[in-house]
Amino acid sequence: MTREVIQALRQFPQTVQATVERFAPAERIEEIRFRIGRPMQVRTEKKTTSLPLTVTRPFLDELTDRAAQRSTYATQQMLQNGFLILPGGHRLGLSGTAVMQNGAVQTLRLISSANLRIARALPGIAEGCAARLWTHPASTLLFGAPGSGKTTLLRDLIRLLSDRQGKRICVVDERLELAACLDGAPQFDLGENTDVLSGAAKECGIALLLRSMNPEWIALDEITAAQDVEAVVRASYCGVCFLATAHAASREELLSRPLYRSLMQAGIFRNLICIRPDHSVKIEKEGPPCSD
């Protein structure tokens, strides 16, 4: 097992660790799934394998209870979004019975399945992209298919801009994936000049950080709504550069979607970085730098 898998499984019952160590395939594990009444599964980049450990209600209750560390207020907040953050930035996604109030999920109970996503920081992965940003310091959009490594690449770009260029970077970590803060402490190294706002919607988070933290750059993951685009456009008039990601396998697909087409037409993102299926990258476009 890799160091990341060992770290993630420390929160889990010993039977899980022993089963994965003995029966999991040799390829790098990306996810471990638990469904009541079904065998535990591990997923690598190439395949999904069932392991000889059947998930039961008591087993899943113990697993989620250990991961939640006997439940805290912060845990209840995360349960509203269907996941728990573990030490190291690993994420335990949960599904079960939703407790609703005023049309919103308040928490989850009777957990029926869980999905452990193994988080990995890959320092240096963004070296090539960062070198181009030193000479073309403009707002940059990373795009690629789901699972192509956009978030991992974005993390390293943030770290390099922060540490090597000394840029004041603020991160709007709406889904707690970029920094994966646990008890307020980022589980990933995003650089010594980086400030993180966790759990805020992008539109609100961008406005808050502009008022309070005087950023030179703002980073955010997954632009998915018109409000995100509007907030980015408004903030760009203040001279702030952006680092962001979008789901699109190619530039053609990016421009075919109305949301991203409107973003491109606004002229905010001058650098487009395409992440190919083999995880290599290509800078698609360059333009003038952000205003000082």
Side-chain angles (χ1 to χ4, degrees), residues 169-181:
I169 302 180
C170 287
V171 176
V172 183
D173 199 6
E174 181 176 5
R175 299 177 60 196
L176 284 78
E177 288 195 275
L178 283 172
C181 286

Side-chain angles (χ1 to χ4, degrees), residues 151-169:
T151 301
T152 304
L153 183 62
L154 178 58
R155 281 195 202 106
D156 204 42
L157 271 176
I158 294 169
R159 182 185 64 84
L160 291 172
L161 278 170
S162 176
D163 285 348
R164 293 194 186 174
Q165 294 291 305
K167 300 297 184 182
R168 299 188 307 276
I169 302 180

Side-chain angles (χ1 to χ4, degrees), residues 47 52 58 79 88 100 104 116 122 136 139 187-188 195 223:
K47 62 182 179 181
L79 283 173
M100 304 292 293
L116 175 63
L122 299 175
H136 298 82
S139 289
Q187 298 299 289
F188 294 105
D195 303 298
I223 292 177

Side-chain angles (χ1 to χ4, degrees), residues 107-281:
T107 189
L108 294 173
R109 63 182 183 87
L110 297 176
I111 303 301
S112 58
S113 59
N115 178 32
L116 175 63
R117 293 176 58 188
I118 306 300
R120 290 180 174 85
L122 299 175
I125 192 174
E127 291 281 356
C129 299
R132 299 299 292 267
L133 292 188
W134 304 159
T135 56
H136 298 82
S139 289
T140 300
L141 185 69
L142 288 65
F143 63 94
S148 59
K150 297 183 295 296
T151 301
T152 304
L153 183 62
L154 178 58
R155 281 195 202 106
D156 204 42
L157 271 176
I158 294 169
R159 182 185 64 84
L160 291 172
L161 278 170
S162 176
D163 285 348
R164 293 194 186 174
Q165 294 291 305
K167 300 297 184 182
R168 299 188 307 276
I169 302 180
C170 287
V171 176
V172 183
D173 199 6
E174 181 176 5
R175 299 177 60 196
L176 284 78
E177 288 195 275
L178 283 172
C181 286
L182 185 64
D183 296 329
Q187 298 299 289
F188 294 105
D189 178 11
L190 298 184
E192 64 180 12
N193 297 295
T194 302
D195 303 298
V196 178
L197 176 65
S198 298
K202 297 178 185 69
E203 180 183 17
C204 299
I206 290 170
L208 187 154
L209 291 170
L210 280 174
R211 292 193 302 267
S212 62
M213 300 305 293
N214 188 28
E216 296 176 284
W217 288 72
I218 293 178
L220 46 100
D221 206 6
E222 296 188 17
I223 292 177
T224 57
Q227 298 95 313
D228 301 344
V229 174
E230 293 167 4
V232 168
V233 172
R234 286 196 300 269
S236 68
Y237 295 144
C238 301
V240 176
C241 287
F242 279 89
L243 287 171
T245 65
H247 287 305
S250 65
R251 183 175 180 179
E252 291 72 25
E253 183 179 340
L254 183 77
L255 296 177
S256 72
R257 297 182 179 179
L259 178 69
Y260 297 143
R261 187 164 61 246
S262 68
L263 184 64
M264 293 300 100
Q265 289 171 346
I268 305 303
F269 289 96
R270 302 292 185 173
N271 293 325
L272 301 182
I273 298 178
C274 176
I275 306 175
R276 302 185 179 102
D278 63 358
H279 304 299
S280 63
V281 299

